[in-house]
Amino acid sequence: EDQVTQSPEALRLQEGESSSLNCSYTVSGLRGLFWYRQDPGKGPEFLFTLYSAGEEKEKERLKATLTKKESFLHITAPKPEDSATYLCAVQAGGQNFVFGPGTRLSVLP
Amino acid sequence: GAGVSQSPSNKVTEKGKDVELRCDPISGHTALYWYRQSLGQGLEFLIYFQGNSAPDKSGLPSDRFSAERTGGSVSTLTIQRTQQEDSAVYLCASSLVSFHNEQFFGPGTRLTVL
């Protein structure tokens, strides 16, 4: 059974304090790993897709990396507007996506 | 252009009643997904449409749940004889095609079953 876990469950950072979020997965035949950001009361917003181990993608203060068992979302010098829940999802052999429970990030000014 | 829209934004119903939730995907997107998000939980996949057909219904929690899509566009998720455990946010997403494509999510419908 495809599974996705994320850690930590919640993370509080001071503005400018860099850190990483983890997404660990167990799937048979990974087609893609996706990162989303979700603000309260809104639907998730797409950030990145990673397809193969070793791949990296960057967007502003965010950088996503992928290995054969996990993905990291690195946040460099975060700002309060980066506060959100970050969701990881995998697409395996089927058509559906399996989402992790998310990491709730708070960046304090 | 317009994003994914869902209606209603909020729905309060009594246990045992039927409800219909609507999703309008982005024009031209062939794939459409329904998810359920309970408080503090991740997104739970319900059903996926490619065009008007649903090749993957594996996530529907019971036979009280059904969904259809017409004209390759609008989709309706119907929950019959609602139960309190059906209370959640129901999210719809669409993508251009099914594989390796980002999903664009709607704002969700918050369903409360009293």
Side-chain angles (χ1 to χ4, degrees), chain B residues 15-36:
Chain B
K15 177 182 173 181
K17 300 277 189 181
D18 298 351
V19 295
E20 282 190 355
L21 312 180
R22 177 186 168 108
C23 172
D24 282 272
I26 292 173
S27 177
H29 280 195
T30 63
L32 186 147
Y33 303 79
W34 282 99
Y35 295 89
R36 178 168 70 175

mmCIF file of all heavy atoms in Angstrom, chain B residues 15-36:
data_model
loop_
_atom_site.group_PDB
_atom_site.id
_atom_site.type_symbol
_atom_site.label_atom_id
_atom_site.label_comp_id
_atom_site.label_asym_id
_atom_site.label_seq_id
_atom_site.Cartn_x
_atom_site.Cartn_y
_atom_site.Cartn_z
ATOM 1 N N LYS B 15 -28.498 14.901 9.472
ATOM 2 C CA LYS B 15 -28.190 13.484 9.270
ATOM 3 C C LYS B 15 -29.342 12.811 8.521
ATOM 4 O O LYS B 15 -30.510 13.012 8.838
ATOM 5 C CB LYS B 15 -27.974 12.824 10.628
ATOM 6 C CG LYS B 15 -27.709 11.337 10.580
ATOM 7 C CD LYS B 15 -27.547 10.783 11.994
ATOM 8 C CE LYS B 15 -27.442 9.277 11.973
ATOM 9 N NZ LYS B 15 -27.304 8.715 13.352
ATOM 10 N N GLY B 16 -28.965 12.035 7.490
ATOM 11 C CA GLY B 16 -29.965 11.317 6.721
ATOM 12 C C GLY B 16 -30.380 12.009 5.430
ATOM 13 O O GLY B 16 -30.992 11.377 4.551
ATOM 14 N N LYS B 17 -30.058 13.301 5.303
ATOM 15 C CA LYS B 17 -30.408 14.026 4.082
ATOM 16 C C LYS B 17 -29.367 13.753 2.995
ATOM 17 O O LYS B 17 -28.236 13.374 3.268
ATOM 18 C CB LYS B 17 -30.454 15.532 4.357
ATOM 19 C CG LYS B 17 -31.452 15.938 5.411
ATOM 20 C CD LYS B 17 -32.828 16.059 4.835
ATOM 21 C CE LYS B 17 -33.772 16.690 5.852
ATOM 22 N NZ LYS B 17 -35.151 16.797 5.339
ATOM 23 N N ASP B 18 -29.767 13.978 1.738
ATOM 24 C CA ASP B 18 -28.838 13.875 0.610
ATOM 25 C C ASP B 18 -28.266 15.254 0.292
ATOM 26 O O ASP B 18 -28.957 16.265 0.442
ATOM 27 C CB ASP B 18 -29.554 13.348 -0.630
ATOM 28 C CG ASP B 18 -30.119 11.948 -0.446
ATOM 29 O OD1 ASP B 18 -29.813 11.305 0.581
ATOM 30 O OD2 ASP B 18 -30.867 11.499 -1.341
ATOM 31 N N VAL B 19 -26.999 15.287 -0.156
ATOM 32 C CA VAL B 19 -26.394 16.555 -0.560
ATOM 33 C C VAL B 19 -25.693 16.386 -1.904
ATOM 34 O O VAL B 19 -25.241 15.288 -2.248
ATOM 35 C CB VAL B 19 -25.372 17.085 0.473
ATOM 36 C CG1 VAL B 19 -26.051 17.431 1.783
ATOM 37 C CG2 VAL B 19 -24.237 16.110 0.682
ATOM 38 N N GLU B 20 -25.649 17.486 -2.655
ATOM 39 C CA GLU B 20 -24.932 17.525 -3.924
ATOM 40 C C GLU B 20 -23.905 18.642 -3.881
ATOM 41 O O GLU B 20 -24.231 19.779 -3.557
ATOM 42 C CB GLU B 20 -25.901 17.774 -5.085
ATOM 43 C CG GLU B 20 -26.684 16.563 -5.509
ATOM 44 C CD GLU B 20 -27.434 16.817 -6.811
ATOM 45 O OE1 GLU B 20 -27.403 17.959 -7.312
ATOM 46 O OE2 GLU B 20 -28.058 15.864 -7.317
ATOM 47 N N LEU B 21 -22.683 18.302 -4.231
ATOM 48 C CA LEU B 21 -21.598 19.264 -4.275
ATOM 49 C C LEU B 21 -21.158 19.404 -5.727
ATOM 50 O O LEU B 21 -21.004 18.409 -6.432
ATOM 51 C CB LEU B 21 -20.428 18.803 -3.405
ATOM 52 C CG LEU B 21 -20.777 18.319 -1.993
ATOM 53 C CD1 LEU B 21 -19.515 17.893 -1.249
ATOM 54 C CD2 LEU B 21 -21.530 19.365 -1.218
ATOM 55 N N ARG B 22 -20.901 20.641 -6.138
ATOM 56 C CA ARG B 22 -20.609 20.893 -7.544
ATOM 57 C C ARG B 22 -19.184 21.399 -7.733
ATOM 58 O O ARG B 22 -18.663 22.143 -6.900
ATOM 59 C CB ARG B 22 -21.583 21.932 -8.093
ATOM 60 C CG ARG B 22 -21.360 22.354 -9.535
ATOM 61 C CD ARG B 22 -22.282 23.494 -9.931
ATOM 62 N NE ARG B 22 -21.894 24.081 -11.201
ATOM 63 C CZ ARG B 22 -22.590 23.917 -12.331
ATOM 64 N NH1 ARG B 22 -23.695 23.193 -12.340
ATOM 65 N NH2 ARG B 22 -22.181 24.484 -13.451
ATOM 66 N N CYS B 23 -18.594 20.998 -8.846
ATOM 67 C CA CYS B 23 -17.245 21.441 -9.194
ATOM 68 C C CYS B 23 -17.211 21.873 -10.658
ATOM 69 O O CYS B 23 -17.618 21.111 -11.542
ATOM 70 C CB CYS B 23 -16.232 20.331 -8.970
ATOM 71 S SG CYS B 23 -14.561 20.714 -9.581
ATOM 72 N N ASP B 24 -16.715 23.080 -10.896
ATOM 73 C CA ASP B 24 -16.489 23.576 -12.256
ATOM 74 C C ASP B 24 -14.981 23.645 -12.487
ATOM 75 O O ASP B 24 -14.317 24.518 -11.918
ATOM 76 C CB ASP B 24 -17.095 24.969 -12.442
ATOM 77 C CG ASP B 24 -18.582 24.929 -12.640
ATOM 78 O OD1 ASP B 24 -18.992 24.803 -13.798
ATOM 79 O OD2 ASP B 24 -19.301 25.011 -11.643
ATOM 80 N N PRO B 25 -14.441 22.759 -13.302
ATOM 81 C CA PRO B 25 -12.987 22.741 -13.483
ATOM 82 C C PRO B 25 -12.538 23.861 -14.423
ATOM 83 O O PRO B 25 -13.359 24.570 -15.020
ATOM 84 C CB PRO B 25 -12.741 21.381 -14.124
ATOM 85 C CG PRO B 25 -13.982 21.143 -14.927
ATOM 86 C CD PRO B 25 -15.105 21.734 -14.103
ATOM 87 N N ILE B 26 -11.248 24.003 -14.556
ATOM 88 C CA ILE B 26 -10.687 24.956 -15.508
ATOM 89 C C ILE B 26 -11.011 24.467 -16.919
ATOM 90 O O ILE B 26 -10.876 23.261 -17.208
ATOM 91 C CB ILE B 26 -9.168 25.095 -15.298
ATOM 92 C CG1 ILE B 26 -8.893 25.765 -13.956
ATOM 93 C CG2 ILE B 26 -8.520 25.881 -16.432
ATOM 94 C CD1 ILE B 26 -7.430 25.813 -13.564
ATOM 95 N N SER B 27 -11.450 25.396 -17.758
ATOM 96 C CA SER B 27 -11.830 25.041 -19.124
ATOM 97 C C SER B 27 -10.675 24.351 -19.853
ATOM 98 O O SER B 27 -9.534 24.839 -19.830
ATOM 99 C CB SER B 27 -12.234 26.303 -19.886
ATOM 100 O OG SER B 27 -12.552 26.006 -21.221
ATOM 101 N N GLY B 28 -10.979 23.202 -20.474
ATOM 102 C CA GLY B 28 -9.952 22.480 -21.224
ATOM 103 C C GLY B 28 -9.223 21.421 -20.427
ATOM 104 O O GLY B 28 -8.482 20.612 -20.997
ATOM 105 N N HIS B 29 -9.422 21.393 -19.118
ATOM 106 C CA HIS B 29 -8.785 20.362 -18.298
ATOM 107 C C HIS B 29 -9.587 19.071 -18.415
ATOM 108 O O HIS B 29 -10.776 19.032 -18.148
ATOM 109 C CB HIS B 29 -8.706 20.812 -16.836
ATOM 110 C CG HIS B 29 -7.575 21.743 -16.567
ATOM 111 N ND1 HIS B 29 -7.142 22.036 -15.286
ATOM 112 C CD2 HIS B 29 -6.771 22.442 -17.407
ATOM 113 C CE1 HIS B 29 -6.116 22.865 -15.358
ATOM 114 N NE2 HIS B 29 -5.888 23.141 -16.633
ATOM 115 N N THR B 30 -8.881 17.995 -18.799
ATOM 116 C CA THR B 30 -9.593 16.744 -19.024
ATOM 117 C C THR B 30 -9.705 15.886 -17.761
ATOM 118 O O THR B 30 -10.585 15.051 -17.657
ATOM 119 C CB THR B 30 -8.888 15.918 -20.119
ATOM 120 O OG1 THR B 30 -7.571 15.579 -19.667
ATOM 121 C CG2 THR B 30 -8.791 16.707 -21.415
ATOM 122 N N ALA B 31 -8.787 16.078 -16.830
ATOM 123 C CA ALA B 31 -8.796 15.267 -15.606
ATOM 124 C C ALA B 31 -9.414 16.054 -14.454
ATOM 125 O O ALA B 31 -9.167 17.257 -14.309
ATOM 126 C CB ALA B 31 -7.375 14.837 -15.245
ATOM 127 N N LEU B 32 -10.203 15.360 -13.650
ATOM 128 C CA LEU B 32 -10.870 15.997 -12.510
ATOM 129 C C LEU B 32 -10.827 15.043 -11.325
ATOM 130 O O LEU B 32 -11.061 13.841 -11.476
ATOM 131 C CB LEU B 32 -12.326 16.345 -12.868
ATOM 132 C CG LEU B 32 -13.131 17.149 -11.834
ATOM 133 C CD1 LEU B 32 -14.108 18.074 -12.557
ATOM 134 C CD2 LEU B 32 -13.841 16.258 -10.840
ATOM 135 N N TYR B 33 -10.517 15.579 -10.168
ATOM 136 C CA TYR B 33 -10.342 14.770 -8.961
ATOM 137 C C TYR B 33 -11.218 15.312 -7.837
ATOM 138 O O TYR B 33 -11.381 16.523 -7.697
ATOM 139 C CB TYR B 33 -8.883 14.819 -8.481
ATOM 140 C CG TYR B 33 -7.854 14.377 -9.486
ATOM 141 C CD1 TYR B 33 -7.432 15.233 -10.502
ATOM 142 C CD2 TYR B 33 -7.278 13.109 -9.416
ATOM 143 C CE1 TYR B 33 -6.478 14.837 -11.417
ATOM 144 C CE2 TYR B 33 -6.315 12.710 -10.331
ATOM 145 C CZ TYR B 33 -5.926 13.579 -11.328
ATOM 146 O OH TYR B 33 -4.969 13.176 -12.232
ATOM 147 N N TRP B 34 -11.738 14.408 -7.019
ATOM 148 C CA TRP B 34 -12.417 14.776 -5.781
ATOM 149 C C TRP B 34 -11.626 14.225 -4.598
ATOM 150 O O TRP B 34 -11.180 13.062 -4.616
ATOM 151 C CB TRP B 34 -13.836 14.207 -5.725
ATOM 152 C CG TRP B 34 -14.859 14.948 -6.531
ATOM 153 C CD1 TRP B 34 -15.326 14.617 -7.773
ATOM 154 C CD2 TRP B 34 -15.572 16.123 -6.138
ATOM 155 N NE1 TRP B 34 -16.272 15.519 -8.182
ATOM 156 C CE2 TRP B 34 -16.455 16.450 -7.196
ATOM 157 C CE3 TRP B 34 -15.565 16.929 -5.008
ATOM 158 C CZ2 TRP B 34 -17.310 17.553 -7.148
ATOM 159 C CZ3 TRP B 34 -16.409 18.023 -4.956
ATOM 160 C CH2 TRP B 34 -17.274 18.328 -6.017
ATOM 161 N N TYR B 35 -11.464 15.078 -3.584
ATOM 162 C CA TYR B 35 -10.786 14.700 -2.357
ATOM 163 C C TYR B 35 -11.645 15.109 -1.166
ATOM 164 O O TYR B 35 -12.506 15.989 -1.273
ATOM 165 C CB TYR B 35 -9.426 15.418 -2.213
ATOM 166 C CG TYR B 35 -8.398 15.061 -3.244
ATOM 167 C CD1 TYR B 35 -8.308 15.763 -4.437
ATOM 168 C CD2 TYR B 35 -7.483 14.031 -3.015
ATOM 169 C CE1 TYR B 35 -7.347 15.449 -5.387
ATOM 170 C CE2 TYR B 35 -6.510 13.713 -3.959
ATOM 171 C CZ TYR B 35 -6.449 14.432 -5.135
ATOM 172 O OH TYR B 35 -5.489 14.107 -6.064
ATOM 173 N N ARG B 36 -11.354 14.485 -0.034
ATOM 174 C CA ARG B 36 -11.993 14.869 1.221
ATOM 175 C C ARG B 36 -10.885 15.192 2.216
ATOM 176 O O ARG B 36 -9.884 14.456 2.311
ATOM 177 C CB ARG B 36 -12.868 13.722 1.740
ATOM 178 C CG ARG B 36 -13.539 14.007 3.056
ATOM 179 C CD ARG B 36 -14.608 12.970 3.347
ATOM 180 N NE ARG B 36 -14.073 11.651 3.659
ATOM 181 C CZ ARG B 36 -14.839 10.626 4.034
ATOM 182 N NH1 ARG B 36 -16.142 10.775 4.111
ATOM 183 N NH2 ARG B 36 -14.285 9.456 4.301
#
